[in-house]
Amino acid sequence: MGYREVYETWKADPEAFWMQAADAIDWVRPPSKALFDENAPIHEWFSDGLVNTCWNCVDRHVAAGRGDQIAIYHDSPITHATKGITYAELQKRVATLAGALRARGIEKGDRVIIYMPMIPQAIEAMLACARLGAIHSVVFGGFAANELAVRIDDAQPKAIIAASAGLEPGRVVHYKPLLDQAIEAARHKPDFCVIFQRDEDIAKLIEGRDVSWYGFQYGIEPVECVPVEGNHPAYILYTSGTTGQPKGVVRPTAGHLVALAWSMENIYKIGAGDRFWAASDVGWVVGHSYICYGPLIVGAQTVVFEGKPVGTPHAGVFWRTIQNNRIKSFFTAPTAIRAIRREDPDGEYIRRYKLHDLQALFLAGERADPDTIEWAQRHLGVPVIDHWWQTETGWAIAANPLGIEELPVKLGSPAVPMPGYDVQVLDESGQPVPPGTLGAIAIKLPLPPGTLSGLWNAEERYRKSYLSHFPGYYETGDAGYLDEDGYLYVMARTDDVINVAGHRLSTGAMEEILARHPDVAECAVIGVSDALKGQAPLGFLCLKKGAATAPDQIVREVVAMVRDDIGPVAAFKQAVVVDRLPKTRSGKILRATMAKIADGEDYKLPPTIDDPAVLDEITALLRDLPRG
Ligand code: COA
Ligand code: AMP
C-alpha cells in the first residue's frame, strides 16, 4: 500500500486502523476499543487496556531472546566515553533502580522530576518510572533554577532524580546547586533526591534529603513492571506557552506506545535490531519520543550523544558517530546542519567517514529552509526529510513516510499529513481556506493516539489554549497552507512563541522578566531571523523617566536577568532602548509588525495603529542594529 491508500484506510475506519496498530504492543489486558469519546472534545485512546511501557521497551526484547543486543549506545565526545548497554543489562539496571525508588515510597501515579544531561542514566530513570507507573517530568538542563522551581511546584514530585553536572563545551554546568536553589525557591518540597555523581563534579549531598544513585540501590531487589490503564499518564513534559507559566503536556501511556511503534516503522523505517539516532536532548519531546521510547519500543538501538554538532571537537562528529554506530536513520534539527555547514561548507568531513548504512536524514524542531535541505541532500546523498510536529502531539503531524513510500520532496514543505491527523487550514472565522491560501493550521478532533490528553492540573487552560478558538479542532499555533497536492507548508507561529536553535521559547516569559527591572517602564520581546539559529530574541525597553542607570547598563542587567531566570538556553543577548513602542489604539503592542520590520519584510500598516511615526523610529533603529 502506498501513502494515499494508507491514509484513506485510516480515514475510512480509524477504529480498525488503530486497533490493528495496537497489535505491535504487548498488552497485559488488550483494550476493548481504540477511541473513548465520552468526554469529547477531550478524547482518550485504549483507556481500558492494561499495559506497561517499560515492559514494551525493555523486558519483552529480552524475553524474545534479544537480550544481548545493544539497546543504548552512549557517546560523549566531551568526556571521550563510549559505551554500549545491552537490553539485558538495561533490564537489570532499570528493574533495580525501580526497586530502589519503590523502597523509598514511589508508587504508580507519583510524580518524579528528572534533571539530567545526556547520559544513559537519564533514560534509565525515565524507564524506571515507567516500570512503576510513576509519572516522570524531565527538565532540560539548559534551564535555570527558577524554571525548575516552577515545574516542581506544578508537578509536585515526590522525588527528583538529578545528575551532579552536565557538560557543555568548555564549561561544567553544576546541576546540584541549581537543584538546591530550585527546591529552596519552590513551595513544594520533594521527599528525597537521587543524585548521580559524575566524575567531573562530585556534588555535596544534603543529609536526610539526598541519596546517591548507587548507594540507594545497594542490596535492592529488582522489581517487575506494574500494569497501568491505557489512559494513565506516562509523563508530563513542560513546554513554552505565551506566558511565563509553562504548559505541562500530559502524555497517556497506551496511545504513546501505539503511535510511536507505528511511527518507527512507517515514518522512520526502523525495526528490531536497526540503529537509530536522534541528536536531540532528553529534555525535549524529540528526546522523549525518539531517543528514549520510540527506538526501544521496536527493539532498535538508540544513541545517547553528549556533544554538539560543532566544536566537540569538530564539524565531523555527527558523521563519525553515524559511521561508528552504523546508523540507518538519523534525526536532528536544521539548526545543527546549518552550524555544521558554516564550518564545513564543502562537506569535507562528510567524505571522511563511511556512511554506507545511512538511509535518511530527518529534520524537525523548526522550519527546514530549502538551502539547508539541498546542502544536506547534495553531500549526504540520502533523502532529507523535513517533518513537522510539536511537544503536544509527541509524533509527526506531517511527514514523508519513508516506511510506507518515499514521496517526492517539495522543498520548504514537511510533506503530507500522517494517518490520524485531519489537517485543515482555517481562516479567522474557522472556515477551511482553498489550497495555496495562508491560514491557521488546525487538526480536526479527535487527535490521534500518542498526542496529549490535556495539561497537567489545567484542563481549562487546555480547552482555552487549544480547543476553543476553532470548535471541533485542535489549534496548533502554527500558520501555513496546503498546496494542490495536499503538501503542507508551515510558515510561522500565530502566538508569541519563538523558535531559537530548535528550542521553543516564550517571548511572553522573557517580557515578564524584563518588566521586573526597576528602570523598565514597558517592554516587548520579538523573534528576529538569525542565520544560524533560525530566530533570536530581541528585546525593546522603554525606560522610566529619570532612570538613574545608564541605558547600556540596563541592557546588560536585563540580559543577565533572563539568563538567570530562564537559563542560557533562552539565548537572550540583545535588547535596545526605545522612547515608545508601536501600539494599536487599544494599547496592544504590534509585535508581529516589529518582527517584520526587523527582518526587512513588507508589512501592512495596521489600520488600528495609534501613531504610525513610531514605526519609522523603530525602522531607523533596527536598520543600524548589528545582527548575528
Ligand atoms: N545544559 C546547559 N546549558 C545548555 C544546554 C544544556 N543542556 N544546552 C544549551 N545550553 C547553553 C549553551 O551552552 C549556550 O550557552 P552560552 O550562552 O553560554 O554559550 C546557550 O545555552 C544557548 O545554547 P544554544 O542555543 O544551543 O546555542 P549554542 O551556540 O551553544 O549552539 C547549535 C548552537 C546550533 C550548535 C545548537 O543550538 C544545537 O546543536 N542545536 C540543535 C538543537 C536541537 O537539537 N534541538 C532539539 C529539537 S530537535
Ligand atoms: P516543540 O514543541 O518544541 O517541538 O516545538 C514545536 C513547534 O516548532 C511547532 O509548533 C512549530 O512552530 C515548530 N516546528 C517544529 N517542526 C517544524 C517543521 N518541520 N517545520 C516548521 N516548524 C516546525
Side-chain angles (χ1 to χ4, degrees), residues 156-168:
Q156 311 221 324
K158 212 178 213 182
I160 300 183
I161 306 178
S164 57
L167 305 174
E168 282 292 287

Side-chain angles (χ1 to χ4, degrees), residues 140-142 168 171 279-280 286 309 335 501-503 533 563 568-569 573:
F140 177 60
E168 282 292 287
R171 88 188 145 97
S280 179
V286 176
T335 189
H503 306 138
K533 297 192 176 188
R563 192 176 171 96
V569 68
K573 305 225 155 128

Side-chain angles (χ1 to χ4, degrees), residues 518-519 543-550 554:
D519 290 327
L543 302 185
K544 286 184 185 156
K545 285 215 166 34
T549 318
I554 295 173

Side-chain angles (χ1 to χ4, degrees), residues 239 284-285 363-368 386-392 414 476 478 490 493 499 502-504:
T239 189
W284 306 119
V285 69
L363 299 174
E366 57 174 328
R367 182 165 187 269
D386 178 17
H387 60 326
W388 168 65
W389 49 297
Q390 332 179 289
T391 304
E392 289 85 343
T476 65
D478 283 309
V490 182
R493 290 286 303 188
N499 199 310
H503 306 138
R504 174 166 157 185

